[in-house]
Amino acid sequence: MKQQQPSGAVDMSNSYDDNEIVNNSSNAHMSDIMSLRLNRRQALMGAVSATTTMLLGTASLSACGGGDDPAPAAAQAAAPATAKLALGFTAVAKNKNDVVTVPDGYQVSILHALGDPLHYGDESWKDNGSESADSYNRRIGDGHDGMYFFGLAEDGKFQADRSDRGLLAVNHEYVVQPYGLHPAGITAGAIRLASEVEKEIYAHGVSVCEVKRGTGNDMSMVRGSRYNRRVTSATEMAFTGPVKGNAVVKTKFSTDGQKTRGTNNNCANGYTPWGTYITCEENWLNVVARAAGDNAKRSAKEVAALNRYGLPENRKSPYLWDTAGTDDLFVRWTSSVTEATAADDYRNIANTFGWVVEIDPFSPTTTPAKRSALGRFNHEGAWPALAVAGQPIVMYMGDDARNEYIYKFVSKAVWDTKDVNGGMAAGAKYLDEGLLYVAKFSADGSGQWLELTFGKNGLDASNATFAFADQADVVTHCRIAADILGATKMDRPEWGGVNPLNGEAYMTLTNNSNRVATTATPTGNQLKPDAANPRYYEDMKGTTSQKGNPNGHIIRWREAAGSVAATSFAWDIYLFAAQSDAAADVNLSGLTAVNDFSSADGLYFDPRGMLWIQTDDGAYTDVTNCMMLAAVPGKVGDGGAATAAGGTATVKGANATADTLRRFLVGPKDCEITGIAVTPDGKTLFFNVQHPGEGGTLAASTSQWPDSQTASASTKRPRSATVVVTRKDGGAVGV
Ligand code: FEO
Ligand code: CA
Ligand code: CA
């Protein structure tokens, strides 16, 4: 999502920008460090377990298409030696049409869109905003984002290799456009209408629905399935891990800090090897306010923490949910001291968001858990490393704001395949105890994971910057801990993923307008380029100049010594996004008309090892709508040294070619393409279109999608939706 700016009631002076910079630390930039030394490459991580084989399904395994290394042992055993993964479709041309454009031989259908009823008893979407607030507890929410497909067996359990029937969990990040949800858009004014806010609270969160193939590989939602479920910004959830019961999360709702209500602004996602869904809380500042004069009622430490997380005093939230009345449903959106103690008000509500939340889609009555050991920040998502029996469970995570960090969680418990289908108990086993790390990228292509543990690395009560009281304090304020340790500030970490064929991890760095020239004197929150965020250049959008790193890049790393728990790694930049006609030191990956793109956001390795890249762009949108590309990546170290626009040295991967990267689809007008899942057999692909027509208004809509997909003269409202893509000949997608 680019920005949260509903019109009407919103006080724009306080509107929240999802790209907002709140990192004021003075960590060294890598331009200040060393010249490149490429001879320190570490060995390819080789271990892929039997568990991985199980998760992938034997039919889907194939050798990595991008390098000379042999495939990992498990893959070799299961795949014919000749089964190279190869792209096999005609690239879709860039365009600005109000439809999803897929390659010849492919077809699309809409699985579900904003407002569709999950159960019987509620009316279908009326296209006039008349649906009741309460009905959104049973309808598909707004702002479709991250998602995951879980194969569903006849006994109601997770079956990793099942493709024809499953549970699809989808994030509903935010209320995209006021004209979608309400009869006439948001009612203007500084005070919100309770009925509208209530509807918005229930339209956020997560949906789980059963999906099934009918004829062919197309999928439909099973309306009325007992698995269909909504989790919203009002759903009760448990705190687990270090903050459970800690003073930092005590509220009027939970005076002992054991629980809270709601998950918010669920952007990207994750999944676990035991079969649960992970949803992550990104731009929760959209809905959390803080009153004027609140600093005087707080300790200096609390004020520093709130400021570092982007919540200074006298900050209204863009959605103004706290203004809708005196009911607890609304009052709780102000993180302000209003009563005698934290057990009497919601001064700590900000500390209840920014977490990783685990949901068991197979057990609709279980309480979701905020897994606090994985830290609190603008959580884009959480992506597991390959699950290796006897090794820890590892999650990679990014903090999506300019100049924020990449994190890694390593569980204390080691993976036992008997925990598949272990539900929330398995989640507690693997995600409540472990070590949290933050990444430091060095200019020589090596990197380190810096440990964020109370009592280590100066993270204790004697720290001069922030007196950490305990591990709850560290995970709640891990941005501050990461500042202190000197982690590397990145160009907005968005999605990550792990290559199932070799264990290497990837993460998109979508863009950063606050990079300045190496010769400039940075002011405020500006940064000079560094090796891991190396480009500084000017990009023209029509006649508008955009400076910094407007197109973004994708970084990747390989853990040292083949261990997911390693504390060092080797990295390179897999891909630089650029227009194909850009200068050579901007278009460093050699993109052409069949694969040029800007601002990667979503990223997903499907079970076969095909990589999918999705864009949420504002730089190339004068030429094309946002898009999705398919890739067959190589591996860390398959390229070499390069000098980026602006003069900074870096390490890049092999150039892209039409054989390794190709545009698979283009979305409708004013949308973001985000969220993707592919069935284990590779034959059904799901992706999400978020905020079509976001540039318009209710009166003058710029998109009528999804109706426009089949009705060119549509006058219907645009809606976020999940799209199903299949091949007309019944084959696997992408190949
Ligand atoms: Fe919700 Fe970072 O995109
Ligand atoms: Ca984005
Ligand atoms: Ca995103």
Side-chain angles (χ1 to χ4, degrees):
M1 161 202 87
K2 284 193 281 287
Q3 290 192 326
Q4 295 288 5
Q5 295 179 343
S7 56
V10 176
D11 177 346
M12 298 306 288
S13 65
N14 285 288
S15 67
Y16 177 64
D17 175 354
D18 128 289
N19 308 331
E20 186 173 3
I21 294 174
V22 289
N23 187 347
N24 290 304
S25 73
S26 56
N27 294 353
H29 307 311
M30 281 187 294
S31 51
D32 303 330
I33 311 178
M34 285 294 101
S35 61
L36 297 168
R37 292 199 306 277
L38 287 170
N39 56 354
R40 290 180 55 182
R41 294 277 166 227
Q42 288 146 322
L44 174 70
M45 174 186 165
V48 176
S49 71
T51 303
T52 310
T53 311
M54 182 277 292
L55 286 169
L56 297 175
T58 50
S60 64
L61 284 165
S62 60
C64 177
D68 298 322
D69 289 293
Q76 282 184 320
T82 55
K84 284 249 179 192
L85 193 60
L87 303 179
F89 59 90
T90 304
V92 167
K94 297 184 288 287
N95 69 70
K96 297 193 71 175
N97 302 329
D98 197 28
V99 294
V100 172
T101 311
V102 291
D104 289 343
Y106 284 78
Q107 58 198 355
V108 300
S109 66
I110 307 301
L111 184 86
H112 60 50
L114 164 68
D116 285 348
L118 283 159
H119 299 278
Y120 294 100
D122 292 305
E123 289 185 297
S124 296
W125 168 258
K126 283 235 179 5
D127 203 52
N128 60 12
S130 62
E131 292 77 22
S132 71
D134 173 66
S135 75
Y136 273 90
N137 287 303
R138 301 174 302 275
R139 292 180 185 276
I140 295 295
D142 204 352
H144 294 52
D145 208 326
M147 67 177 157
Y148 198 75
F149 174 87
F150 298 89
L152 175 65
E154 302 310 330
D155 62 0
K157 293 195 166 153
F158 172 47
Q159 184 182 337
D161 62 358
R162 180 99 187 228
S163 291
D164 63 332
R165 183 188 181 206
L167 300 180
L168 191 74
V170 175
N171 287 348
H172 298 290
E173 187 184 20
Y174 70 120
V175 172
V176 175
Q177 291 286 2
Y179 53 81
L181 207 57
H182 304 306
I186 283 179
T187 303
I191 306 293
R192 296 292 313 278
L193 286 183
S195 59
E196 291 179 6
V197 172
E198 188 179 5
K199 196 191 279 194
E200 292 172 17
I201 287 171
Y202 303 145
H204 280 67
V206 175
S207 64
V208 178
C209 73
E210 183 180 343
V211 294
K212 220 172 185 173
R213 282 182 183 155
T215 52
N217 300 317
D218 191 24
M219 290 257 191
S220 314
M221 179 169 89
V222 180
R223 190 174 176 184
S225 166
R226 74 179 190 88
Y227 299 101
N228 292 0
R229 176 188 192 181
R230 281 301 317 281
V231 172
T232 75
S233 294
T235 302
E236 189 171 314
M237 353 208 117
F239 270 114
T240 69
V243 309
K244 179 184 179 183
N246 191 277
V248 293
V249 291
K250 286 182 178 168
T251 61
K252 184 179 177 185
F253 175 70
S254 180
T255 58
D256 60 2
Q258 299 277 331
K259 60 183 185 177
T260 187
R261 280 169 298 181
T263 185
N264 254 99
N265 305 98
N266 305 81
C267 191
N269 66 300
Y271 60 94
T272 68
W274 50 95
T276 60
Y277 186 63
I278 298 287
T279 185
C280 296
E281 300 174 339
E282 187 195 18
N283 294 314
W284 47 273
L285 284 171
N286 286 321
V287 294
V288 178
R290 194 164 156 241
D294 193 55
N295 282 355
K297 302 172 184 172
R298 303 270 197 171
S299 69
K301 179 181 164 183
E302 285 179 297
V303 172
L306 288 158
N307 287 338
R308 179 64 180 83
Y309 277 77
L311 196 55
E313 65 174 354
N314 193 25
R315 181 191 180 276
K316 294 176 182 173
S317 74
Y319 281 79
L320 299 174
W321 282 357
D322 57 304
T323 66
T326 55
D327 191 290
D328 200 61
L329 185 66
F330 311 124
V331 170
R332 72 189 184 94
W333 300 104
T334 303
S335 199
S336 306
V337 176
T338 61
E339 305 294 338
T341 75
D344 303 310
D345 62 25
Y346 288 101
R347 70 187 65 180
N348 288 327
I349 198 71
N351 292 340
T352 71
F353 294 112
W355 301 105
V356 164
V357 177
E358 184 179 17
I359 297 169
D360 184 354
F362 296 88
S363 185
T365 58
T366 49
T367 303
K370 299 211 175 189
R371 301 290 187 199
S372 69
L374 283 74
R376 172 177 163 265
F377 40 88
N378 281 26
H379 256 112
E380 179 77 17
W383 296 275
L386 303 184
V388 180
Q391 290 199 34
I393 293 294
V394 166
M395 290 279 180
Y396 296 112
M397 304 172 285
D399 183 352
D400 181 11
R402 293 186 202 120
N403 312 340
E404 294 296 348
Y405 304 120
I406 292 173
Y407 296 84
K408 170 185 179 179
F409 173 79
V410 178
S411 70
K412 182 179 179 190
V414 297
W415 177 233
D416 181 342
T417 56
K418 290 199 291 292
D419 286 320
V420 173
N421 274 303
M424 299 302 283
K429 175 179 175 183
Y430 294 107
L431 300 180
D432 286 345
E433 263 192 284
L435 299 177
L436 186 64
Y437 296 90
V438 65
K440 181 173 186 171
F441 293 84
S442 298
D444 63 0
S446 69
Q448 282 177 281
W449 293 110
L450 310 174
E451 188 178 331
L452 302 171
T453 298
F454 177 72
K456 282 191 180 173
N457 295 330
L459 303 177
D460 56 30
S462 67
N463 192 288
T465 302
F466 196 81
F468 293 96
D470 48 28
Q471 185 64 14
D473 223 6
V474 173
V475 296
T476 305
H477 306 114
C478 57
R479 279 181 171 176
I480 298 173
D483 294 344
I484 291 167
L485 268 56
T488 302
K489 300 170 177 181
M490 309 302 288
D491 286 349
R492 296 188 52 208
E494 292 262 15
W495 287 52
V498 173
N499 187 338
L501 300 177
N502 66 11
E504 293 184 354
Y506 287 61
M507 193 164 283
T508 60
L509 300 164
T510 193
N511 54 52
N512 191 350
S513 57
N514 271 58
R515 294 280 166 194
V516 296
T518 54
T519 52
T521 303
T523 59
N525 292 298
Q526 292 177 329
L527 293 173
K528 290 185 182 183
D530 58 45
N533 305 274
R535 286 187 303 182
Y536 172 78
Y537 60 103
E538 180 175 8
D539 176 84
M540 298 301 293
K541 180 188 174 188
T543 56
T544 308
S545 161
Q546 305 188 94
K547 290 180 179 172
N549 178 17
N551 303 122
H553 55 286
I554 302 174
I555 201 163
R556 63 183 170 185
W557 60 88
R558 179 175 64 237
E559 301 286 5
S563 167
V564 291
T567 55
S568 63
F569 55 88
W571 65 270
D572 69 10
I573 294 176
Y574 161 58
L575 205 55
F576 287 93
Q579 299 185 197
S580 58
D581 58 359
D585 61 357
V586 171
N587 186 13
L588 281 166
S589 296
L591 305 186
T592 64
V594 300
N595 57 20
D596 63 339
F597 70 100
S598 175
S599 292
D601 185 336
L603 179 147
Y604 167 77
F605 275 98
D606 76 20
R608 303 165 296 176
M610 186 171 287
L611 176 63
W612 300 87
I613 298 165
Q614 303 174 311
T615 70
D616 174 16
D617 181 42
Y620 209 5
T621 44
D622 52 334
V623 172
T624 183
N625 298 337
C626 286
M627 63 182 74
M628 184 162 88
L629 305 101
V632 179
K635 61 186 177 67
V636 172
D638 63 10
T643 301
T648 299
T650 188
V651 196
K652 75 179 185 88
N655 275 8
T657 69
D659 288 336
T660 62
L661 180 69
R662 214 176 281 179
R663 190 176 305 103
F664 182 74
L665 65 82
V666 174
K669 289 181 179 173
D670 286 348
C671 80
E672 160 182 351
I673 302 297
T674 183
I676 171 165
V678 176
T679 52
D681 64 6
K683 293 184 175 178
T684 307
L685 182 151
F686 305 87
F687 76 95
N688 287 325
V689 172
Q690 190 193 74
H691 66 67
E694 75 163 350
T697 63
L698 182 59
S701 182
T702 58
S703 170
Q704 282 72 42
W705 193 90
D707 197 53
S708 59
Q709 189 74 34
T710 49
S712 58
S714 173
T715 56
K716 296 225 166 116
R717 297 179 179 205
R719 294 192 280 164
S720 295
T722 297
V723 184
V724 183
V725 184
T726 51
R727 245 169 71 176
K728 291 176 181 170
D729 67 3
V733 298
V735 293

